[in-house]
Structure formats: C-alpha cells, structure tokens
Amino acid sequence: MVRLVKSLEPSPGFPEGDPIALLQERFPDAISPADKGNHTGVIVESDRLPEVALYIRDQLGYQYLSSVTGVDYLDDGYFEVVYHAYRLSGGGPLTFKARTPREDPVLPSLVAVWPGADFQEREIWDLYGVRFTGHPNLKRILLWEGFAGHPMRKDWKEPYYEEEHKPFKSRWPQGHFAMAEERTPWGRNVQYPPDFTPEGWTPEGDAALYEGLLELETGHGNGKGLRTDRVVVNMGPQHPSTHGVFRMVVTLNGETIVDLEPVMGYLHRNHEKIGERNTWLGNMPFTDRLDYICSMHNNFGYAVAVEKLMGVEVPERAEYIRVIMAELTRIVNHFIAIGFLFNDLGAFFTPALYGLEERELILDLFEMASGSRMMCNYFRFGGVARDLPEEFLPLARELVENRLPRVIDEFETYLTGNEIFLARSVGVGVLPKEMAIAYSTAGPVLRASGVAYDVRKAEPYGIYDRFDFEIPIGTNGDIFDRYKVRIEEMRQSLHILKQALDQIPDGPIQAGKKAYQVRVPAGDAYGRVENPKGELGFYLVSTGGPNPYRYHIRAPSFINLTSLGEMSKGHKVADIVAILGSIDIVLGEVDR
Amino acid sequence: MSEEFQNDPRVPPELRHSVFITTLDKIYNWGRKRSMWPIMFGLACCAIEMIATAASRFDMARFGMELMRPSPRQADLMIVSGTVTKKMVPQIVRLYNQMPEPKYVIAMGSCATSGGPFKEGYNVVSGIDKFLPVDVYIPGCPPTPQALIHGFVKLHEMIEGQTIRDVPWYKEGVVDAIPVPALGPDLLDWRQAQEIAARARQIAEEAQEEEA
C-alpha cells in the first residue's frame, strides 16, 4: 500500500550543530580540514576510516551514503576517495575524504558499514586501481579482468589520445583534420603492451566470475536428504528482459535463486574520461546520453552541480521552464518503466504501447522547445538554451490538465487490480526499510520501502521549495509498491506541472550572455537532483581551467542494482525478471 | 501480367484473368523484403527510438517488420542500435554468426556507424563495420523513427536488386563464420593477430633502440 506524506521524517536524537566540528572534537588526531583551495569536507586518516564512518553513521545520523568516488591528484601524488553521506531528515551532505599514495593505493573498505558502497568501491578499483581491504568481492566491474591499466588515472592515455583538453587542434574547422586512426600505431581504437603476442595467448574469459559461484555448489541438498544440483545460468547480455545489455549470473537450486551476481559494463562508454577532456559546456550533450529516457533531467543535474561551483543565479522564467521539463520527463520515464515492467511480466507490449503513446506527445513538446526529441541538450549554466515557442504553453496545459490525468487514471484502472499482476508482484522482491537505506538505493525503490526521502524536499534545488506536492511512500517494499509509488509520483508531477504552468512569468531565460566557454572557479561540488530513477549526482572538481578536473556521475540505476542480489534470493527465476523491471534501470546510466 | 499470356491458347480461358507472370527473383525478393524479422536486440539510446518506431505512431508493422525475435536463429535483420563497446562486441559477433542466411545488418545511429560522440572512449569500437558487413548506415544521434524507416526502405531497395543467381547463400561451400574477438589487455580481433604481433615487436624494438 502506498500513502502520501507532506515532508520528510524528522530524525531526533542526533546532535545538532556543525557535524564537522563534532567530528573534529571526537577524533582530533584523525580529522583535518580539506586543504585544497575551496574544497568541501574533511580529510580522514585512512587507517581510522571505518571507525570514523561508524561514528558518522550511528552517532551523527548520516545514515545514507549517497556517493563514493575517486579522484586522481597526479601532481600531489595521491588518490582521494570522496564520500558523501546524508541525513534522512534532509539537509546538506557530510563530505569526508581519504587519501592514499599513488604508488600503492590501499584503503579500508566501507562495505561493512554501508553495503551500498559495494559497487562503487569496485568501480574505483576498476578505474583507479585503489584496492579496498576487506571488500568481499573486489573484481573489475565495468571493464573485464585482464584489461591493461586503470583508465581513469590521469597518466593513463586512451588509444585515440590526442591532447589533454578539448577543443583538439585536429578538429579546427579550417582544414588540417586528422583521423584518430592515423595517430595510433595500431590503426584502430586498441593498444597492447609492448610484449604482447596473440599466438599462444588464451583469453581469461569469465573464469574469475564463475570461480566464486562454483564454491557455492559444494553444499548440495534441500534439507530433506534429497540431493539437488545447483545450476549456474546466464541471463543476458542479450536477453529480452534485461532492458538492454545487462547480464545476471544466477545460481539456481531447482528454480529457486541461491545467488545472483549482476555483470555490467557492456555499455561502458567512458563518459567520465571523455568528460574530463571536454569543456564544461561540452559535457551537456553527453549527459543527455546517460539515462537516455530522461535526458532533460540529466541536464538539470549537471547544470545544478556546475551552478553550485559558479554561483550564478538562474532567472525566474528559466527556473519554471526547468521544472516543467523535469516533471514532464518524470511522467515519460514512469510510463515507460511501468510499461516495461508489465512487458517483463508477460503482458507483452500492450501497456508499454499505451505508455509510448503519451511519451510521443511529450516528446513533441521537447522537440518544440529544444529541437530534438530525445537528446534535448536544452539546459545551460544559468538558464536554458532558448525560450519556449508560443505554441508550447497552450499545448502543455492541454496535456497536463486534460489528457494526462485521464490517461493515468485509465492506466491504473487497467493494471492495478489485475489478478495476475497482484499474484506476481505482492510480496515479491521485498526490500526492507533498513536494507534499502543501507544499500543506498534511491528514488522509487527507496520510497517504496517506506523511506520518505526525496531530494526535492530534502535539499531543494531550483525552485522546488515553492511547489506544493507530496511524497508517495510504500509500506512493504515489494514490486507492487514500487509500481504504485510510480503511479502516484506521476500524479504528483502533474500537480507540480499545473502550478508551474500557472505561475510561469515572462522574462529572460539566461543569466548573462550566452557563451561557449564558461569560467568555473576552482573547488569541488556535489550537485544532486531527484531523477525519475533516483538520486542523480554529479561530483565535480574544478581547477579553474576550461574543463573539469574530475567529472563523476552518481548514477541511480547503478547503485540501485547493488540490492538486486539481496532482493532476488529465495525467489523463482521468473521473478528476477520482474524484480529487475521494478528497479527500472537504464544501461546508459548503469555503465556510463 | 502480360498481354500475350491472356491470349495464349494453352491457358484455359477461366484462368486467363487470375494468372500473373513475374520473374522468380521478383517474387522471391518481394516475399523476403515484406517479412524481415529483426532480432530483438537493443544496445543503447537508439534502441529506445527503435522501440518508438515499433510503437503505434510510426508502426513498423506497415513494413511487415513488427515481429522482433529475441532468438537470432529466427531473425534475418540485425539493427545495431547503439554504441558498440569492446566488452559487448564478442557477443554481437556471436549473435550475427548464429543468424541464418540471408541476413542483413543496419548500423543505426552514429555510434554504430563510426563510434559517434563516444569514438574517443577507450572501451568503444569505432563502428560495427570493423567486424560485421553493414548494409545500411543511418546517421543521427539518435536517428528519428522517420530516419530509421528511411533506412528500412533503403534496405528493401537493396533486397529488390539481389538475384538468386549470385547471392552468397546459394553458392557452394560454407560461408566462414566471423571469428569472435577476445578480451585481453585490449580487444583482440583474431583476423589481425599476426599484424598485432608484428607491430608489438616493432614497438618493443623501437623502445629498446631509444634506450640504447
């Protein structure tokens, strides 16, 4: 069941006052303030990290670990791992960082404190080569075992490397372009170590992946003296239910799931490496391609993060346009999410087609405003790219006031009471409240488990604090609640849209002049927005140059997947398809 | 329908208005092009536009193409809809090898064509044509459904131009499968193994000379 709440739950009992001061008081010898210019947070001695993390979680009440990421400070000779933790009662982050030398990078793992750090630490190991001691499953996650090097290190160069920063000289418009293939000695987008010989070499394959699973097979038996075999089944990366190129390696006892390991990286498109070569504005179209169903919202997240660093004010009209676009995106996403959830449950394509029909109408609005259906590239730092055309508002009002409320009601009438759906969704894929928090899940998955947490309320960005809306939260945290939370969220989005469309003022849409190159002062910032799939965050480090020094994306679908194994254990193999559908992943964002 | 056929005394009069004459190629190609079954296979953003093309507004069923098959054994068209990464390309080649002839490949969008905006990425293959023979390239990022349909029409035109006499799948002998690339220190295309070994030696020698 789903209920609506007006605000976040207060979490009493935690000390008031500046958390950093409290930390310094408690651990005077382990905590030091960030010493780089304009950087946030504190630096924790690496060997005291688990102890400090426990204190932050239990005593200070920062229970929700939002993001973990690495930064390579090549000139200073160390890696920095940055943690952002939040209180569930709202407010800003507690940022703490740990450093480790570049020669032998080792840090204690925080998986025991926050299981949600699991995939994120694996990602740091994969891309930066920082080993986390105590991590239960420290394998590469986006690349494959045997890949040469850790690609996000600043001194690692990709095969098509040309220059540190864009614009590259070869792309200068007046002639003299050079093909990337001509620059590399291999003639293709590959590079091998100098001593590499393909003859006699055998690929490593998935040996490391299966090794851990085969260990599980030793304990046979179903408890009644009957010996049963365990089978390891691969689902994906080419499977109609995996929403793209996602793979699950499932260990089965009969039809019951004993263990599930997600395997990803099949769409790892190196957003972060490319993003660190791009100019600040040049990253905007790349954010479109993260969660490609909600491109407008990704723009929003990136704009919010960069604006935090730049400190620009967004004009009123642009703020309203942003909210309108963001909430329309949420409706598109939830229609598709629900449609594909039913696809996975066997209602083949009918609900999805109903959803896609509404999506087309909303995409028409996007095309009208931005010139593109899907990849809108519409937001700019301090505003939006262009003003709305005259026809936009009447059409949007018609859609929001007449058509969409009717369609959502219709959609719900068809689906919610469906007996097959209820039988397959109620009580399946349950994620208890404590676990949802511990696993750092976000968005509808977190809320369906009964946690009233929404970034729009917890740390309002843009002008969300002006609108009246409620947060739908579930009670059981099963597939049905996740579905129902999405339906209610669509209604709340309509409610916000109505207010925004009524109040939108005239005026400028961009602070200052339009410019290709923006000046971003040195410092670091973590900006986050409530994406339809969960909390989308951008961690940015600027050195004052024309491009980001670090550009990290906290992708909600990626981190939500951490809990997939836990949710699926004990269910039947047909249920994981539905459980995965209820998490609502997009591979562009999972793999980045 | 030919005029002289209607007056041919060998044809009974009651059949003269219901018999059509055409070439074998024409009827064969007409049948094939109107029932292309694409493999249900999405890689990235373009897959969403592919789904939109299959949905009611653009309606791929008008071309007899709505039957997307999850199994490569039942499909005759592979729409490579999105960025081809090094980690994924072995599976794509495997899927292609499993498709029965006649089979076609559409490279949908700039990523599948050339690597697109992600070309410089270390995990991105610069276009699926490095591994598979592509029949139609569709530009766009992502191509609109209209552009995809235009690609289908181009493919149909191409099929109409084929003749049974020289299509590869009626030739004698077996068509070799494309070797599945391997994931090592980097993506390894077995067809280039010797070239890579020679180049690696050369680079190692150059490095030694520089040291000396």
Side-chain angles (χ1 to χ4, degrees), chain A residues 40-60:
Chain A
T40 51
V42 289
I43 291 154
V44 182
E45 286 298 319
S46 58
D47 48 338
R48 306 280 300 276
L49 190 60
E51 190 189 338
V52 175
L54 264 179
Y55 179 78
I56 288 172
R57 187 191 72 179
D58 296 338
Q59 307 300 319
L60 295 182

Side-chain angles (χ1 to χ4, degrees), chain B:
Chain B
M1 198 170 21
S2 70
E3 286 292 319
E4 71 262 44
F5 186 73
Q6 286 189 16
N7 303 322
D8 194 326
R10 287 169 300 176
V11 179
E14 67 270 22
L15 283 184
R16 280 183 189 169
H17 289 283
S18 44
V19 169
F20 297 87
I21 288 189
T22 181
T23 62
L24 182 57
D25 268 339
K26 263 193 191 151
I27 188 90
Y28 174 70
N29 288 337
W30 176 80
R32 283 191 317 131
K33 83 170 190 197
R34 290 296 178 202
S35 63
M36 297 286 280
W37 288 4
I39 178 169
M40 188 190 255
F41 167 64
L43 286 178
C45 335
C46 288
I48 305 295
E49 283 299 63
M50 189 171 75
I51 293 166
T53 316
S56 49
R57 190 185 203 175
F58 298 97
D59 197 11
M60 225 152 90
R62 293 177 293 159
F63 302 89
M65 301 179 80
E66 79 282 11
L67 214 57
M68 289 203 166
R69 309 310 295 176
S71 164
R73 307 275 182 202
Q74 302 168 334
D76 31 27
L77 169 64
M78 178 184 261
I79 305 173
V80 184
S81 53
T83 315
V84 183
T85 60
K86 291 178 185 173
K87 199 169 175 179
M88 190 59 194
V89 78
Q91 276 77 306
I92 299 176
V93 172
R94 216 170 263 151
L95 285 170
Y96 179 80
N97 285 341
Q98 287 173 2
M99 282 164 62
E101 290 276 10
K103 53 186 169 186
Y104 301 92
V105 177
I106 289 183
M108 180 184 183
S110 49
C111 287
T113 304
S114 70
F118 299 99
K119 179 173 177 173
E120 65 209 75
Y122 50 83
N123 191 28
V124 176
V125 175
S126 313
I128 190 62
D129 56 1
K130 298 274 186 294
F131 291 90
L132 307 183
V134 174
D135 297 293
V136 176
Y137 295 90
I138 305 172
C141 188
T144 56
Q146 293 93 326
L148 182 58
I149 289 173
H150 183 64
F152 292 155
V153 172
K154 286 284 160 202
L155 183 69
H156 289 170
E157 280 173 17
M158 196 195 112
I159 292 172
E160 274 171 4
Q162 289 185 313
T163 157
I164 296 182
R165 257 170 303 170
D166 57 9
V167 288
W169 55 92
Y170 285 133
K171 291 239 171 86
E172 271 182 47
V174 212
V175 183
D176 283 338
I178 295 168
V180 177
L183 295 174
D186 209 321
L187 186 71
L188 177 68
D189 187 349
W190 291 108
R191 295 172 297 185
Q192 296 180 316
Q194 285 184 331
E195 201 183 306
I196 288 166
R199 183 64 64 143
R201 265 197 304 277
Q202 192 188 338
I203 290 176
E205 277 165 22
E206 276 168 21
Q208 265 182 353
E209 271 170 35
E210 250 174 57
E211 263 177 42

Side-chain angles (χ1 to χ4, degrees), chain A residues 198-233:
Chain A
E199 299 114 30
W201 169 84
T202 44
E204 224 169 288
D206 284 336
L209 174 65
Y210 293 124
E211 205 174 352
L213 296 172
L214 289 173
E215 276 168 25
L216 273 172
E217 293 197 49
T218 48
H220 286 183
N222 63 353
K224 293 178 194 158
L226 185 72
R227 286 181 70 82
T228 52
D229 265 343
R230 293 198 177 167
V231 193
V232 176
V233 177

Side-chain angles (χ1 to χ4, degrees), chain A residues 15 27 81 136 158 260 339 350 360 368 381 504 517 522 525 537 575:
Chain A
F27 300 99
V81 175
E158 62 269 35
L260 183 147
T350 309
E360 288 293 335
M368 206 182 268
F381 311 129
I504 181 168
Q517 197 65 271
D575 291 331

